[in-house]
Amino acid sequence: MQPDYEKIIQAINYFARKNVRNRISKLYFLKLIYLADRYHLRKYGRMITNDTYFAMKYGPVASASKKAFEFIELPEHYLAYADTYLSTSKSTDNYLHSVKSVDMDIFSESDIEAMEAAWNAKIEHSDLVAFTHLFPEWKKHEAKLKLRSVCPMDISDFFSKANDSVEYCPADEELVELNRQHYAMLCNW
């Protein structure tokens, strides 16, 4: 599956618009999109972004989402699309500002539900980096990350059960298993 750059760009815009100053940092966006993708995958059997994830020191990182945030390696038409909705900060490249309302038509109701769940997790857990380190799909790579800076993550690990005290996705184990099987068929695992 190819990354859905329109949804990625609009997700950046969505989370930027939720902040008082209509901006979002790269670190917070990458944690929020991970939480939204994880939620949506577990509850609905697909990711919002169709992104590829890597475990890094500060938690899971969505590869295409990071590149979109940095305005690098994007196909030309998506670069122009991103320019319509987002602008970089004059003082730092770690923030993007929303300059146009979010195109909500790009998202399904379940996409919005997942992004809201991610946003609510941000509100409950002020340290998003530490929060993302609590999930089994990142913890699996924790020891290896002491020796290297990046490890590819297996999306199938996103279906692993987290500790009940941190799980923010209300899907029961039966639904998660059905969605794991559905996603496996989609990806030909």
Side-chain angles (χ1 to χ4, degrees):
M1 285 188 259
Q2 293 295 320
D4 190 330
Y5 287 108
E6 284 181 313
K7 281 190 178 182
I8 291 168
I9 291 162
Q10 289 302 333
I12 297 168
N13 198 25
Y14 180 87
F15 288 124
R17 287 271 167 163
K18 291 195 73 69
N19 280 308
V20 175
R21 292 158 63 183
N22 283 348
R23 72 179 196 165
I24 187 83
S25 73
K26 179 170 42 175
L27 180 68
Y28 270 109
F29 169 69
L30 292 173
K31 300 310 122 203
L32 289 166
I33 203 60
Y34 154 71
L35 292 170
D37 266 344
R38 182 183 188 279
Y39 178 104
H40 205 281
L41 186 64
R42 293 174 60 78
K43 191 166 180 189
Y44 297 105
R46 70 167 173 82
M47 291 193 296
I48 297 168
T49 65
N50 294 331
D51 218 326
T52 302
Y53 278 83
F54 293 89
M56 297 180 79
K57 177 181 176 182
Y58 293 109
V61 174
S63 178
S65 295
K66 181 179 182 288
K67 291 174 185 174
F69 194 98
E70 296 168 344
F71 283 61
I72 60 170
E73 296 180 34
L74 281 174
E76 197 64 34
H77 63 283
Y78 288 121
L79 192 54
Y81 180 76
D83 262 341
T84 303
Y85 290 93
L86 304 164
S87 74
T88 57
S89 173
K90 305 279 188 266
S91 59
T92 177
D93 62 356
N94 287 325
Y95 286 88
L96 285 179
H97 295 267
S98 171
V99 296
K100 186 176 178 183
S101 295
V102 179
D103 178 1
M104 295 301 286
D105 292 338
I106 204 116
F107 298 119
S108 69
E109 286 182 24
S110 60
D111 292 340
I112 295 165
E113 175 190 332
M115 290 189 301
E116 280 299 306
W119 185 258
N120 290 334
K122 173 193 178 286
I123 292 168
E124 290 177 34
H125 305 277
S126 58
D127 186 348
L128 275 183
V129 171
F131 183 61
T132 63
H133 287 188
L134 299 174
F135 293 93
E137 58 269 22
W138 184 86
K139 283 187 128 347
K140 170 181 181 175
H141 302 286
E142 188 171 19
K144 290 184 270 184
L145 288 170
K146 291 179 176 151
L147 305 172
R148 59 180 137 170
S149 62
V150 63
C151 298
M153 293 178 78
D154 185 342
I155 297 300
S156 66
D157 291 335
F158 284 41
F159 293 102
S160 300
K161 184 169 175 31
N163 184 309
D164 286 340
S165 66
V166 298
E167 188 57 67
Y168 62 101
C169 178
D172 63 42
E173 289 183 44
E174 186 178 337
L175 178 60
V176 171
E177 177 55 24
L178 288 171
N179 284 326
R180 186 194 66 73
Q181 292 172 19
H182 170 76
Y183 193 74
M185 283 189 334
L186 287 175
C187 297
N188 296 318
W189 284 342

